[in-house]
Amino acid sequence: MALVLPVVGAKERNEWWPGEFDHNGMPRATRIPLGQAAKMWVSAGDVDVDGNVATEGDQGYYYLWWKGLQVLMGKEGHDAGL
């Protein structure tokens, strides 16, 4: 949120991130739940965007990141168009 507040207008904040910002574009006091956290399974040998290869010890579920930001919306929020 700290990255968004100074560079994105109030109207766009609510349109793009309704779970984080109210209708006035201000940060919500409490988040609207948008489903389970977005996670993905990482297997040994998988390569991430930085070229790092996962080892057997790295296998497991990881929270998703997109452009350096953690994805907070789950599948239910995505399916609802949020």
Side-chain angles (χ1 to χ4, degrees):
M1 267 198 273
L3 298 173
V4 171
L5 285 170
V7 295
V8 178
K11 181 180 177 192
E12 288 81 16
R13 280 182 257 170
N14 176 257
E15 288 176 3
W16 297 346
W17 301 287
E20 303 295 335
F21 299 98
D22 64 17
H23 292 288
N24 296 321
M26 300 305 293
R28 292 185 183 277
T30 57
R31 279 191 81 241
I32 295 174
L34 297 175
Q36 295 295 318
K39 294 186 256 184
M40 67 178 279
W41 177 261
V42 175
S43 299
D46 287 352
V47 180
D48 67 12
V49 295
D50 297 319
N52 302 311
V53 179
T55 65
E56 275 193 43
D58 296 329
Q59 287 190 138
Y61 281 101
Y62 287 86
Y63 291 105
L64 291 177
W65 288 77
W66 180 76
K67 293 191 177 183
L69 302 172
Q70 186 175 359
V71 177
L72 298 176
M73 178 174 57
K75 183 178 183 319
E76 295 89 345
H78 177 268
D79 291 346
L82 301 176

